[in-house]
Amino acid sequence: MGRINAVITGVGGWVPTYILDNEEMSTIVDTSDEWIMERIGVKTRHILKPEEGTGTSFMMTKAVKQLLDKTGVDPDSIDAVIAATCTFDYHFPSTASLIIGNLDLKNAFGFDLEAACAGFLYAMEQAASLICSGRHKRVIVCGGDHMSSMTNYQDRNTCPIFGDGAACVLMEATEEEVGLIDSYLRVDGKGYDNLHMAAGGSARMPSHETVDERLHFVYQEGRAVFKHAVTDMSDAVVTIAQRNGLNKDNVTWIVPHQANVRIESAVARRIGVSEDHVMINIDHMANTSSGTLPLCLWEYEPLLKKGDKIIFTAFGAGFTWGASYMIWGYDGSKFADTPAEFYKEGMISREEWYAKRRKAQQ
Ligand code: UT7
């Protein structure tokens, strides 16, 4: 038997119906559409309202259900579910256990993985390890966050950045030379001061004071994080490219964490890849933390072809960051006719979105 690789064989996704645009954001904090578009590149973000559902597991369950329906994979054949998130429904039980229970995945084990915005990158590596060990064949990797549950809508420095959403991929064993080929993952443990949620964990338990002091929200020093994100993601992309003989002429896609459109452009410039080879959806998805990479795959899936060379990169609290190299395993067009919930009334269709995206890239 040849070497076992772990390859993505399907993508599912889900975003809440409610769309918070910059106009509405300007009624919440002192900001403007011009500032947000120029400094961040976000126009609209999806927000999970209690009347639609609650918790990250709600969104991930929808995404996994779509993945299973679309691929036709037997739910009983799923060996594991990894949920990358930093907005767990509860400290315990895990978000993964809730998803497994909701969908009755009888033969799956599962766990949550917290690496902030780099979570999905780490989780893909974990899934690949499970598969390449030979003991597990099908692993679902979810990435997503209910960021509005920890966004301080009194802080204009952070609240325009974030949105809610989740997506997932099915990773399977293959002997073909496709799938996750290499990963370069890092943590420096020095990022606390610049990016954290101060209370709610065992170091500072919830209390009246922590609520009054608004310590259960994201705290970010944007400029410092920006500098680290640009440098560390760019370095990681260059490292993974050099290790695998990749360059601007043979990379098909860069999939960067959607934190700021200026960061994404800077990372693409560093490796010299033109922007029409960079997946970008920050304008209508915002920063969904662990959700950004799989949500990009979900939206770009019909454009992906077997053999595409893809570099993923992300950066998050910790600091955590890295890059992974993947050879894509199937023609995404095979799922083009699949009705996704994304088509639901009132939301832009996938065709319209690609047309818009291509025009913007010309
Ligand atoms: O996902 C995890 C990783 N996160 C990131 O990668 C995020 C990295 N950081 C960023 O994307 C950017 O630093 C931000 C988008 C957070 C901020 O953009 P910036 O260009 O770095 O702005 P700044 O923080 O340097 O602030 C510039 C000015 C300030 O005014 P003064 O002090 O110069 O008078 C802010 O008060 O912009 C002001 N400002 C705003 N103005 C209008 C900050 N937020 C807003 C706002 N609307 N929403």
Side-chain angles (χ1 to χ4, degrees):
M1 195 165 119
R3 186 188 127 101
I4 302 172
N5 285 318
V7 66
I8 292 178
T9 54
V11 188
W14 192 83
V15 288
T17 312
Y18 190 84
I19 294 175
L20 171 56
D21 62 20
N22 288 347
E23 200 175 309
E24 186 181 353
M25 187 61 80
S26 313
T27 66
I28 302 172
V29 286
D30 180 15
T31 190
S32 65
D33 178 52
E34 295 74 43
W35 193 95
I36 300 171
M37 280 306 286
E38 192 192 310
R39 305 309 295 165
I40 312 173
V42 176
K43 193 87 185 160
T44 58
R45 65 287 286 146
H46 295 269
I47 300 294
L48 184 60
K49 298 272 190 181
E51 34 303 1
E52 187 166 29
T54 49
T56 299
S57 74
F58 175 81
M59 297 188 290
M60 288 184 172
T61 299
K62 295 255 189 200
V64 174
K65 172 87 173 64
Q66 187 188 86
L67 173 73
L68 294 171
D69 289 349
K70 173 175 158 177
T71 55
V73 161
D74 177 4
D76 290 351
S77 72
I78 302 301
D79 295 313
V81 174
I82 306 177
T85 185
C86 54
T87 49
F88 317 101
D89 286 35
Y90 310 103
H91 277 294
F92 62 89
S94 70
T95 312
S97 72
L98 298 173
I99 299 165
I100 289 168
N102 289 342
L103 295 171
D104 198 21
L105 306 179
K106 291 191 193 62
N107 297 310
F109 76 103
F111 56 92
D112 293 359
L113 189 154
E114 206 276 275
C117 298
F120 186 76
L121 208 56
Y122 283 34
M124 278 201 299
E125 179 70 6
Q126 284 302 301
S129 305
L130 293 174
I131 290 167
C132 295
S133 73
R135 288 202 292 281
H136 309 281
K137 290 197 165 47
R138 286 186 166 152
V139 179
I140 293 177
V141 184
C142 304
D145 271 295
H146 186 180
M147 290 306 290
S148 62
S149 70
M150 59 173 184
T151 297
N152 181 356
Y153 288 99
Q154 294 179 7
D155 175 14
R156 71 174 185 169
N157 292 294
T158 53
C159 70
I161 299 172
F162 298 112
D164 299 334
C168 60
V169 297
L170 176 63
M171 291 184 81
E172 297 193 62
T174 179
E175 288 185 27
E176 281 189 67
E177 272 306 304
V178 291
L180 192 65
I181 305 297
D182 192 14
S183 290
Y184 169 83
L185 304 175
R186 289 291 177 274
V187 179
D188 69 5
K190 298 192 172 85
Y192 178 87
D193 289 345
N194 298 134
L195 188 52
H196 62 255
M197 187 204 281
S202 56
R204 188 144 185 207
M205 288 186 290
S207 65
H208 289 292
E209 287 72 32
T210 62
V211 172
D212 291 345
E213 290 170 35
R214 303 186 73 76
L215 298 181
H216 296 273
F217 296 114
V218 175
Y219 172 84
Q220 175 171 257
E221 287 176 17
R223 258 182 236 186
V225 177
F226 188 100
K227 278 188 203 149
H228 279 280
V230 169
T231 310
D232 292 340
M233 281 204 284
S234 301
D235 287 351
V237 168
V238 168
T239 301
I240 209 87
Q242 283 172 350
R243 279 199 328 212
N244 294 282
L246 301 168
N247 55 55
K248 64 179 174 47
D249 299 320
N250 60 13
V251 169
T252 327
W253 293 103
I254 303 271
V255 190
H257 173 47
Q258 310 286 305
N260 186 314
V261 77
R262 291 181 291 136
I263 299 178
E264 290 149 29
S265 303
V267 171
R269 270 199 307 276
R270 173 80 183 275
I271 186 177
V273 168
S274 69
E275 289 197 12
D276 53 350
H277 290 274
V278 183
M279 292 192 190
I280 293 178
N281 63 11
I282 188 173
D283 52 341
H284 59 284
M285 290 289 189
N287 181 348
T288 54
S289 188
S290 305
T292 61
L293 302 184
L295 280 169
C296 277
L297 290 180
W298 181 52
E299 292 201 298
Y300 279 80
E301 186 191 38
L303 302 185
L304 293 172
K305 297 191 180 56
K306 187 167 182 179
D308 280 356
K309 294 181 161 130
I310 304 178
I311 298 179
F312 297 88
T313 184
F315 179 90
F319 294 122
T320 52
W321 73 96
S324 291
Y325 168 42
M326 178 178 286
I327 301 178
W328 194 250
Y330 64 94
D331 290 335
S333 57
K334 79 172 179 183
F335 291 125
D337 296 333
T338 310
E341 290 202 35
F342 196 72
Y343 295 127
K344 69 188 157 189
E345 220 182 322
M347 291 172 77
I348 189 168
S349 77
R350 220 174 261 202
E351 288 74 17
E352 277 177 286
W353 185 76
Y354 289 125
K356 220 175 101 184
R357 171 69 47 217
R358 287 206 189 88
K359 210 167 156 209
Q361 284 168 351
Q362 275 162 13

